[in-house]
Amino acid sequence: MAEIDVTFANQILNEVVNGFRIPHFEETLGVTHTSARELLAKVHAAAIRRGGNTQAFTFSEEETRFFRRALLATLDELGEDEFETRTGYSLEDGQKTLAGLPE
């Protein structure tokens, strides 16, 4: 299990679901596009309930594995030039979060 800032989690999941195309989505991320959309909806609802306050969202072990792969794909796809623009977080924030997640 992992706790991730709910707004950060929402931004990363939104990118992999809606922001860019991931070839072989299920093979690459380990979940179906439908499952990813469902988790995004759950995280998004939590972000709205928290009113933009910075609070952690707790992922299950399976969700944590998916989120790690989603974050890695987002870091790779957006890179330094686009990561902060599209997520609102620095590339360094993304890399620190990734380093703190179990493999």
Side-chain angles (χ1 to χ4, degrees):
M1 293 175 63
E3 289 190 349
I4 307 293
D5 171 80
V6 69
T7 305
F8 180 77
N10 188 69
Q11 293 299 96
I12 298 305
L13 294 174
N14 186 58
E15 283 297 329
V16 297
V17 171
N18 301 310
F20 56 89
R21 186 177 177 283
I22 298 176
H24 313 289
F25 190 95
E26 188 171 353
E27 182 180 304
T28 301
L29 298 180
V31 299
T32 64
H33 198 267
T34 299
S35 293
R37 251 193 337 262
E38 289 169 357
L39 182 57
L40 171 59
K42 187 169 131 180
V43 170
H44 185 73
I48 290 172
R49 279 193 308 275
R50 292 178 180 151
N53 295 329
T54 301
Q55 293 186 7
F57 183 88
T58 303
F59 286 101
S60 70
E61 287 183 39
E62 182 179 334
E63 291 168 341
T64 299
R65 285 191 296 274
F66 161 60
F67 183 77
R68 185 181 194 291
R69 290 188 289 264
L71 177 53
L72 185 58
T74 304
L75 288 164
D76 287 346
E77 177 69 24
L78 302 183
E80 191 170 350
D81 292 340
E82 288 291 316
F83 191 84
E84 186 168 358
T85 301
R86 289 177 55 172
T87 69
Y89 292 85
S90 71
L91 186 68
E92 184 178 314
D93 289 336
Q95 292 167 334
K96 283 181 183 177
T97 301
L98 182 65
L101 294 172
E103 297 216 22

